[in-house]
Amino acid sequence: MFSEIKSVHFVGIGGTAMAAVAAALRDKGFIVSGSDQNVYPPMSTFLAAKKIDVMPSYAEFNLSGKPDLVVVGNAISRGNPEAEVVLEQKLRYCSLPELLKEFFIRGKRSLVVTGTHGKTTTTSLLTWVFEHNGLNPSFLIGGIPNNFGEGARFTDSPWFIIEGDEYDTAFFDKRSKFVHYQPEVAIINNLEFDHADIFENVAAIQTTFKRLINLVPRNGQLLANGDDPNLAPLLNVTHCPVKRFGLGEQNAIQAFNMRYGPTATEFEIPSFKFHLNLVGELNVRNALAVVACAKHCGLSNKQIQGAFDTFKGVKRRMEIRGVVAGITVVDDFGHHPTAIRETLRALRLKHPQQRIWAIFEPRTNTTRRNIFQTELAEAFRDADAVVVSQIARLELLKPEERLDPQQLMRDIQGAGKTALYLPDADAIVAHVRKEATGGDVVCVFSNGGFGGIHDKLLSAFAARK
């Protein structure tokens, strides 16, 4: 099927992964085009540098040249003019995960990192362990590791390391993306309820992870968090080797003697002590998954530690965006109560005496709903002051499904913290500018742009001098 393809068109090319794969195909000699709405830096400049033309809106005309293959992004739905033409004219089409499987993963040793939390950090750290030790892996990561400065690379190496997302593949393929990635090794960091728009409950998420587990070959390895009760029922399989990692004694790879410092963490496994320039228990678990996988693939403890020594973290994961007038502004991608809680715990380790602000934008399909009404209030336990921005598109949800912001404020205030619900980024900046003092740490939690709030905060603090 794929041997006769010369030209490829990407519908929704502005996505990080779509743009990276489009550029890789162009490097392989394919004619590549794409369309999207509102493509902005860094992807717009990245595509321009790769000399890929981006059509600035979706239109039937964009497919008038009849490309040999159309790649349909997972944000594209029926009614999109290009999706309609593809179906109407019976053009050859596929999803991005299918394209990855056929063009880049097939025949490689695929290491797939999954789980509700920690995927991006774990994939980035694992990739750096392989890179640091000269293995030159291909990779595709849903974030930007600071050691690489890009989220994807495609090489001739036998290794392919990929962040495996449980979100669905495309409007025509509702399976999770990760079922396309041909795992030799599957890492499952944890399993919690998320993505309320496509999963009904935890059982539905367990089903999709079972599908991934069913694809691990007998000469591969399933590496799973042995401390996670939601994962436990999935691990009693005999078709492939299973190894549990975690902090409990039941794990084959167990971390113990953890020492949590303000800028680094130490933990031991039998016969070796690891040192990590990341903070908190969540990163011990991420690193332990990496140790388990790297050792399975033949790397030594010393080789792994050498990479840990030089790992520079990931953009938007507890990333310090600036320090102005003694106030530190931190950017974090956290948008699930567990991720928010663990990040704030780590920040509390880092800044034990300082006032920590948590600014949260509830914009995902899960956090806009009341599924985590109670858990969300508890997630802010390690913050001193909490500001929540107005919940986007609340009117699109049934009243009985909506997160209740007033109740959230009451619950947070009931725990002895200041809490405010403000309309937007500008209102939040005006409030924090007035109230924050030197030494404070302001952490912004959002998986979107949040109205450029980080730069606005830094400018506002600078203007106070």
Side-chain angles (χ1 to χ4, degrees):
M1 165 186 171
F2 287 95
S3 56
E4 61 221 55
I5 288 165
K6 304 281 186 295
S7 58
V8 184
H9 178 79
F10 287 77
V11 187
I13 197 169
T16 308
M18 289 279 276
V21 173
L25 280 183
R26 194 181 186 287
D27 290 345
K28 279 175 171 270
F30 291 85
I31 299 161
V32 174
S33 61
S35 55
D36 211 325
Q37 288 171 321
N38 306 321
V39 184
Y40 49 86
M43 292 341 287
S44 56
T45 46
F46 170 78
L47 289 164
K50 294 287 184 180
K51 298 186 168 51
I52 294 172
D53 290 332
V54 179
M55 299 148 192
S57 62
Y58 300 118
E60 294 186 21
F61 176 78
N62 294 345
L63 293 171
S64 57
K66 298 251 188 320
D68 299 328
L69 178 67
V70 179
V71 184
V72 182
N74 85 322
I76 305 302
S77 52
R78 287 301 305 269
N80 178 293
E82 295 182 35
E84 296 305 317
V85 166
V86 163
L87 297 173
E88 194 176 73
Q89 298 187 8
K90 300 179 174 51
L91 300 179
R92 181 177 282 157
Y93 67 93
C94 70
S95 65
L96 183 69
E98 283 179 279
L99 180 81
L100 281 165
K101 178 166 99 172
E102 294 302 334
F103 278 77
F104 298 101
I105 297 175
R106 191 174 291 288
K108 302 247 180 182
R109 303 188 67 181
S110 176
L111 313 179
V112 184
V113 180
T114 72
T116 312
H117 315 292
K119 289 188 291 290
T120 303
T121 299
T122 306
T123 315
S124 301
L125 186 56
L126 181 63
T127 303
W128 181 242
V129 168
F130 276 62
E131 175 73 5
H132 179 80
N133 288 292
L135 296 172
N136 189 33
S138 297
F139 61 86
L140 183 61
I141 302 170
I144 309 290
N146 292 322
N147 290 85
F148 293 99
E150 58 188 2
R153 184 179 75 184
F154 302 92
T155 71
D156 295 331
S157 143
W159 298 101
F160 197 109
I161 303 174
I162 185 164
E163 179 176 333
D165 188 357
E166 71 272 29
Y167 208 77
D168 60 7
T169 297
F171 75 79
F172 49 85
D173 182 354
K174 290 303 174 187
R175 295 172 297 166
S176 293
K177 292 184 189 130
F178 58 40
V179 302
H180 296 280
Y181 296 156
Q182 301 193 313
E184 176 179 326
V185 177
I187 294 172
I188 310 180
N189 259 342
N190 39 58
L191 193 159
E192 278 197 80
F193 186 66
D194 199 4
H195 307 307
D197 51 327
I198 58 170
F199 294 115
E200 204 171 321
N201 47 35
V202 168
I205 297 176
Q206 287 172 318
T207 298
T208 202
F209 276 91
K210 273 186 205 165
R211 290 179 184 144
L212 174 72
I213 290 167
N214 275 336
L215 297 172
V216 180
R218 63 187 180 186
N219 66 342
Q221 179 98 59
L222 171 62
L223 295 167
N225 179 348
D227 301 331
D228 191 317
N230 290 332
L231 272 179
L234 310 186
L235 304 183
N236 299 318
V237 295
T238 54
H239 65 262
C240 69
V242 180
K243 198 168 263 186
R244 293 164 175 79
F245 62 86
L247 311 188
E249 288 180 4
Q250 73 279 14
N251 294 293
I253 300 177
Q254 182 196 359
F256 56 92
N257 288 349
M258 277 78 68
R259 294 180 61 203
Y260 301 116
T263 59
T265 308
E266 284 182 352
F267 65 93
E268 292 181 44
I269 61 170
S271 79
F272 201 83
K273 180 191 282 189
F274 286 101
H275 175 95
L276 192 66
N277 298 317
L278 297 171
V279 182
E281 183 187 295
L282 75 164
N283 282 315
V284 169
R285 292 184 180 279
N286 293 339
L288 201 57
V290 170
V291 169
C293 183
K295 284 169 75 74
H296 169 76
C297 296
L299 290 158
S300 70
N301 291 329
K302 277 191 172 173
Q303 287 176 304
I304 297 166
Q305 181 58 56
F308 283 7
D309 286 338
T310 50
F311 182 63
K312 296 176 184 172
V314 184
K315 284 193 184 304
R316 305 212 64 195
R317 303 306 187 276
M318 277 178 65
E319 180 189 9
I320 294 174
R321 287 289 296 268
V323 182
V324 174
I327 303 167
T328 304
V329 175
V330 178
D331 182 14
D332 195 89
F333 198 72
H335 49 275
H336 184 286
T338 303
I340 293 168
R341 183 190 74 217
E342 292 298 324
T343 297
L344 286 170
R345 268 187 194 166
L347 280 173
R348 181 52 73 203
L349 280 167
K350 220 173 161 88
H351 307 283
Q353 304 302 323
Q354 288 161 266
R355 179 164 61 160
I356 295 176
W357 293 74
I359 298 175
F360 175 53
E361 180 187 31
R363 68 186 292 276
T364 69
N365 285 305
T366 307
T367 51
R368 290 164 57 234
R369 291 171 163 84
N370 57 17
I371 297 156
F372 292 130
Q373 182 79 48
T374 309
E375 291 85 346
L376 206 45
E378 290 168 359
F380 294 108
R381 190 178 303 157
D382 279 302
D384 300 295
V386 180
V387 185
V388 178
S389 76
Q390 193 165 325
I391 301 162
R393 312 180 308 285
L394 207 54
E395 70 286 350
L396 301 181
L397 297 173
K398 295 175 187 166
E400 66 272 17
E401 289 183 353
R402 297 172 188 168
L403 181 72
D404 181 343
Q406 267 62 48
Q407 184 61 49
L408 182 62
M409 294 300 103
R410 285 193 293 273
D411 290 346
I412 295 169
Q413 288 161 353
K417 303 175 191 311
T418 61
L420 272 180
Y421 184 63
L422 293 174
D424 54 26
D426 291 338
I428 293 169
V429 169
H431 171 73
V432 179
R433 176 189 176 176
K434 205 165 58 190
E435 299 295 330
T437 55
D440 286 6
V441 177
V442 179
C443 185
V444 178
F445 292 98
S446 173
N447 68 340
F450 202 170
I453 193 169
H454 313 88
D455 290 335
K456 286 177 180 176
L457 283 166
L458 291 167
S459 298
F461 298 147
R464 289 193 327 185
K465 286 180 181 176

